[in-house]
Amino acid sequence: MSEKPMSLSVRVEELLAADGPLPIVAAGDPVLRAVAQPYDGQLGDALLGRLVTRMRETMLAAPGVGLAAPQVGVPLSIAVVEDAARGPREALEARGRVPLPFRVLVNPAYEPEGEERAAFFEGCLSVPGWQAVVARHARVRLRGLDEQGAAIDEVVTGWPARIVQHETDHLRGTLYLDVAELRSLSSNAAVAERWSQPGPETAAAALGFPLV
């Protein structure tokens, strides 16, 4: 007789049992390639709150500006985002990078607002050590719920829009490399040493890839 599959809430309880940041799942694990289950109360309010708290701790410790539940092995449509937007002023302005307060996205979806796109280097906690240029919508309408079940329906622009797209894509089984200019793929060290300009134009000319 086969064993009964472990319930998702039990799996999450076991995940949260150890102290410290949660282990981040790396590319190659099937959980990152599956469409996450819509969240409809599988964990209950208390366990959801604990998971969200630990996801935030894990994101900040990494450090990162977003983390989707599949990245810690939980196949639910939940993500956390937060960005203090620190760095050189020129780079922040070029990227439209402004502070993004901590928030929880439950069952998020986005759609473009307008035709404008912006291309910048982007990385991922599940693909450590590497970055690549991704052209993303500069402005998106974000819909979903927060952790309290309140509706989210707002327009997000600039770098926050990039974060929202990246994390929502995770919940669809999409990694940023799937939509990146792969000729731009560079180690973190190469980006810091060669391509740290506000935009990717120098990298595009040297590495031979198109921009938007």
Side-chain angles (χ1 to χ4, degrees):
M1 182 181 295
S2 61
E3 293 185 5
K4 186 177 180 179
M6 184 184 299
S7 73
L8 192 52
S9 60
V10 171
R11 287 165 55 190
V12 172
E13 288 279 11
E14 290 188 350
L15 177 68
L16 301 182
D19 294 330
L22 303 173
I24 295 177
V25 174
D29 191 305
V31 72
L32 295 176
R33 291 312 199 170
V35 176
Q37 301 173 31
Y39 183 74
D40 61 4
Q42 294 96 321
L43 304 182
D45 292 347
L47 185 54
L48 174 62
R50 289 169 55 206
L51 174 62
V52 163
T53 296
R54 293 291 296 282
M55 286 176 61
R56 184 187 188 192
E57 293 173 355
T58 302
M59 171 184 68
L60 296 177
V65 294
L67 187 70
Q71 291 182 274
V72 293
V74 178
L76 290 173
S77 187
I78 301 167
V80 296
V81 296
E82 183 175 9
D83 184 13
R86 297 189 180 95
R89 191 169 102 182
E90 183 183 11
L92 296 177
E93 291 178 351
R95 291 166 170 78
R97 189 171 180 179
V98 296
L100 176 63
F102 173 71
R103 65 189 313 181
V104 181
L105 307 178
V106 177
N107 301 333
Y110 67 82
E111 57 188 35
E113 288 272 311
E115 301 296 324
E116 183 183 358
R117 293 170 70 85
F120 290 103
F121 274 99
E122 186 172 317
C124 179
L125 298 179
S126 290
V127 189
W130 299 91
Q131 297 182 47
V133 172
V134 183
R136 292 200 183 270
H137 303 294
R139 181 182 177 93
V140 298
R141 179 170 291 279
L142 170 66
R143 292 185 173 93
L145 304 171
D146 66 14
E147 70 275 30
Q148 305 299 326
I152 297 170
D153 186 349
E154 61 191 65
V155 173
V156 188
T157 63
W159 205 259
R162 178 172 296 270
I163 295 170
V164 162
Q165 291 170 80
H166 181 114
E167 298 309 326
T168 303
D169 282 358
H170 267 302
L171 303 176
R172 300 170 175 172
T174 297
L175 294 177
Y176 85 102
L177 291 176
D178 299 334
V179 292
E181 289 291 344
L182 290 184
R183 288 185 68 95
S184 70
L185 185 64
S186 304
S187 67
N188 286 347
V191 172
E193 293 169 7
R194 297 173 178 269
W195 316 131
S196 59
Q197 297 84 359
E201 291 79 10
T202 301
L207 300 178
F209 62 87
L211 293 175
V212 181

